[in-house]
Amino acid sequence: MVLAMSRPSRHPKTGIFWLRKRVPSDVVARVGRAIEYFSLQTRDPGEAKKRHAEALARLEARWAELRRGEPAAGPGATTDASPSPRSLSEREAGERAGWMYAHWLRLHRENPSQQRFWPTDLYRHLWRSPGGRIEHHEDGRASVRAALGFAEAEKVAELEAWCRDQAETVLSLHDVEADETSAVRVAKAIAAQVQRASLSLAALAHGEPDAAPATARTPTPSVKPAKAIGLIELVEAWWREAERTGKSESTRESYTNTVKQLVAFLKHDEAHRVTVDDVRRFKDYRLATRKPNGQLLSPTTVKNSDLAALKSVFGWGVANGRLIDNPAIDVTVARVSKVRLREREFTAEEARRLLKAASGLERGKELPQTHAAKRWIPWVLAFTGARVGEIAQLRRQDLRWVEVEGYSEGVWVLRITPEAGRVKTKQAREVPLHPQLIEMGFPNFVAGATGERLFLVPDAKGGIAGPLRGLKNRLGEAARELVDDPGVSPNHSWRHRFRTVATEAGVSGNVIDAICGWSSKSVGERYGSVSLRARANAIARLPRIEI
């Protein structure tokens, strides 16, 4: 039986269990990947085993259907039968695991004391019976004392499963159909290499000389994926799957830009050649890069944008059998505490200054939509707490009049929806208009708009991503001319101010969250919903802004 005993494996950092199963060679072409790898979405070992078994059954059924769907061989034709399972000797298993020593050192060499996944003191308990020793007491009783506590035994099981996952990956990359005994031999050989490397790291962490430097490192397994893949090709393949999981177009653009910058930096486009040192050098290069305004990129941007992109794309490549390892997985940027000299929302005076300028804005040579954006968006942000992009992409049909209990004249409601463009939560929400916006004539402005979009002119293909980005920049520049304090964000500080003002007006936190599109902070808050009437009551409590 070939690798039939796969088990759920726990992620070393998140603790969430995953399924990792090598796809049988006779259906790899139809499945489109060499390894099935996905989250079981639980940290509970019992539940993970149950979900793992159910998922395996679904995979086996799917593979069986793929096999049945193959055309029958014609007369005299030969069939490509799956190769018989191979039996690997201990020497052969060791050869296929030898690369792990240098790989583990390379991952943790910069900060050896931070290698905590592999506790060297538990290595001797791997693949051994969990039995204990017999203790005799003075009263004649005998008891068995367990060799390991529950937590240690659980960790041992996790390490064994992790080594087995690595063995399955290595065997798949070598295109070896191994029997069960051989798979365990490779897993044990990998464990031995990780143990040896971890002991070296422990010595380095204590300042001891490195007895086995990794400078002349053994190359990563002397195999390559079925087809070498370029970096640009890799990010495009990642996107084809990520798009179906709900990732936004802006994420695709950001990740693609990062990969293109990496290609320009490395001066090659070969994904399998990228090393941990390459990623570290790229990180340092990005930290030294200046924005158009002359300021350095922030460490947060490099960490949450550049490194996050590389970790995701390379990680997808490993999970789908395109790469052997993820060179970005352990590269990070030290957290920098920002010096904050003020609150992040606009002060009352700053808000009045911005809104007064918006009300008195005269039309210049700019497009009518741009003028309308500068005129109305600051006011709408002040009374909705919305993100600037959510308002900038509004359409005429996104404002409607509805009947609400307790409001005899009805309520004007803005619908912020993914149908209009990007919404961070991917969920539509309705926000009643404040009476001051109605008095100022915002509904009349919407009714008189000539195009579908209130503040944008879509590009030649009907897209709004580029025009939206440009409009947000222009709004930010206009606000910066009036409030140049770097402690506030020209567009986003309205969102901070809304929560402060709403809280002072006595609006409850869950209602504020519903209006602004923030996630619930507790399980209890996820039950029930905030009615439109409750939202209208909350908006009505906000004070007018006199300019």
Side-chain angles (χ1 to χ4, degrees):
M1 190 173 184
V2 181
L3 297 179
M5 300 299 291
S6 63
R7 296 170 293 178
S9 57
R10 190 195 297 268
H11 191 283
K13 293 185 178 179
T14 66
I16 295 175
F17 284 93
W18 286 65
L19 178 146
R20 187 183 188 111
K21 180 69 175 176
R22 188 148 55 94
V23 178
S25 60
D26 59 326
V27 293
V28 166
R30 295 195 170 204
V31 173
R33 64 184 71 181
I35 297 174
E36 290 283 3
Y37 187 55
F38 52 84
S39 170
L40 297 172
Q41 299 182 345
T42 182
R43 292 184 174 88
D44 179 72
E47 180 66 20
K49 290 180 181 178
K50 176 184 175 183
R51 296 184 184 183
H52 187 269
E54 293 171 349
L56 273 182
R58 289 194 296 270
L59 284 176
E60 294 288 354
R62 178 182 166 208
W63 294 337
E65 289 178 3
L66 291 174
R67 291 188 181 99
R68 287 194 297 270
E70 293 179 354
T78 59
T79 59
D80 294 328
S82 300
S84 301
R86 278 192 58 191
S87 177
L88 300 178
S89 66
E90 292 181 357
R91 176 188 60 78
E92 291 174 310
E95 288 175 351
R96 283 164 174 77
W99 63 276
M100 179 57 86
Y101 174 76
H103 171 69
W104 198 251
L105 279 180
R106 189 174 75 249
L107 283 179
H108 303 288
R109 189 178 181 83
E110 289 297 315
N111 298 288
S113 64
Q114 294 181 17
Q115 191 294 109
R116 300 186 182 93
F117 172 69
W118 189 274
T120 54
D121 59 320
L122 293 182
Y123 172 70
R124 61 191 177 91
H125 296 286
L126 298 181
W127 288 284
R128 294 195 177 187
S129 170
R133 66 174 185 268
I134 299 177
E135 291 186 343
H136 297 277
H137 302 277
E138 293 181 356
D139 59 2
R141 290 183 300 107
S143 61
V144 178
R145 182 175 180 179
L148 292 173
F150 177 80
E152 291 175 317
E154 189 177 44
K155 182 64 177 178
V156 165
E158 178 188 353
L159 296 177
E160 289 179 357
W162 182 84
C163 290
R164 183 58 177 271
D165 289 340
Q166 304 305 311
E168 288 190 20
T169 301
V170 170
L171 290 169
S172 176
L173 292 174
H174 279 280
D175 198 23
V176 173
E177 290 283 349
D179 58 30
E180 179 65 20
T181 300
S182 299
V184 174
R185 281 177 179 164
V186 176
K188 290 181 177 180
I190 285 174
Q193 295 294 345
V194 175
Q195 173 73 3
R196 190 162 67 94
S198 297
L199 290 172
S200 295
L201 290 169
L204 286 173
H206 289 89
E208 299 176 16
D210 188 3
T215 50
R217 66 184 180 95
T218 310
T220 335
S222 56
V223 295
K224 59 182 179 181
K227 178 185 176 183
I229 189 169
L231 287 165
I232 302 300
E233 184 184 357
L234 182 66
V235 73
E236 290 173 350
W238 162 84
W239 170 249
R240 285 193 291 273
E241 182 173 316
E243 184 179 22
R244 296 195 294 272
T245 66
K247 289 289 190 297
S248 66
E249 184 67 31
S250 61
T251 301
R252 175 192 186 181
E253 182 180 4
S254 173
Y255 282 24
T256 301
N257 287 340
T258 294
V259 171
K260 287 181 177 178
Q261 289 165 348
L262 179 64
V263 169
F265 175 76
L266 296 177
K267 296 182 174 58
H268 72 75
D269 184 37
E270 299 174 68
H272 69 278
R273 287 177 54 191
V274 181
T275 67
V276 177
D277 288 337
D278 289 335
V279 177
R280 290 194 184 107
R281 290 190 300 108
F282 178 69
K283 175 197 73 173
D284 294 338
Y285 160 74
R286 292 292 288 160
L287 288 171
T289 299
R290 294 188 180 275
K291 297 183 286 188
N293 62 6
Q295 295 181 348
L296 290 171
L297 287 179
S298 72
T300 301
T301 298
V302 176
K303 179 180 180 180
N304 296 341
S305 181
D306 295 321
L307 292 181
L310 297 180
K311 289 178 182 181
S312 294
V313 173
F314 284 126
W316 181 90
V318 172
N320 289 275
R322 309 293 185 91
L323 296 173
I324 294 171
D325 59 11
N326 183 342
I329 189 65
D330 284 330
V331 181
T332 188
V333 177
R335 182 178 178 181
V336 178
S337 299
K338 290 185 177 180
V339 176
R340 201 170 81 184
L341 303 178
R342 55 163 296 169
E343 297 298 333
R344 289 183 287 180
E345 69 258 21
F346 292 127
T347 64
E349 174 56 34
E350 289 169 339
R352 281 193 293 269
R353 191 187 314 160
L354 291 165
L355 297 178
K356 183 176 181 179
S359 296
L361 186 67
E362 295 184 2
R363 168 81 186 280
K365 296 181 179 180
E366 58 196 2
L367 293 172
Q369 291 86 347
T370 304
H371 175 264
K374 293 180 178 178
R375 165 71 179 87
W376 285 109
I377 288 181
W379 279 98
V380 177
L381 295 179
F383 282 120
T384 62
R387 301 171 181 89
V388 64
E390 296 172 338
I391 302 303
Q393 66 194 15
L394 284 177
R395 308 162 300 172
R396 279 182 304 168
Q397 62 265 38
D398 294 330
L399 179 67
R400 61 192 180 94
W401 182 90
V402 298
E403 294 183 358
V404 176
E405 183 183 354
Y407 289 82
S408 58
E409 298 181 359
V411 174
W412 283 102
V413 174
L414 272 180
R415 181 171 173 80
I416 296 173
T417 171
E419 295 171 331
R422 181 174 182 264
V423 176
K424 188 173 183 179
T425 61
K426 298 181 175 61
Q427 296 180 6
R429 67 183 190 276
E430 295 185 325
V431 183
L433 282 191
H434 189 273
Q436 188 171 351
L437 283 175
I438 300 171
E439 293 172 13
M440 292 171 62
F442 184 70
N444 294 334
F445 155 72
V446 174
T450 56
E452 181 188 38
R453 300 282 175 176
L454 301 180
F455 307 116
L456 289 173
V457 178
D459 59 29
K461 296 181 179 179
I464 67 167
L468 179 60
R469 189 186 314 111
L471 178 58
K472 290 194 291 185
N473 290 340
R474 284 190 287 276
L475 289 170
E477 291 165 1
R480 272 284 178 240
E481 293 178 1
L482 298 168
V483 180
D484 60 358
D485 191 328
V488 293
S489 169
N491 293 323
H492 207 63
S493 286
W494 286 115
R495 194 161 162 83
H496 290 285
R497 176 170 174 76
F498 179 88
R499 185 168 199 105
T500 299
V501 172
T503 301
E504 290 177 349
V507 181
S508 62
N510 67 316
V511 177
I512 296 175
D513 291 343
I515 291 172
C516 294
W518 279 306
S519 301
S520 300
K521 298 176 181 62
S522 68
V523 174
E525 289 178 354
R526 297 184 194 125
Y527 286 79
S529 60
V530 178
S531 68
L532 192 54
R533 179 183 181 184
R535 301 180 198 208
N537 291 341
I539 293 294
R541 298 183 71 166
L542 302 180
R544 296 172 58 88
I545 303 175
E546 303 297 339
I547 59 173

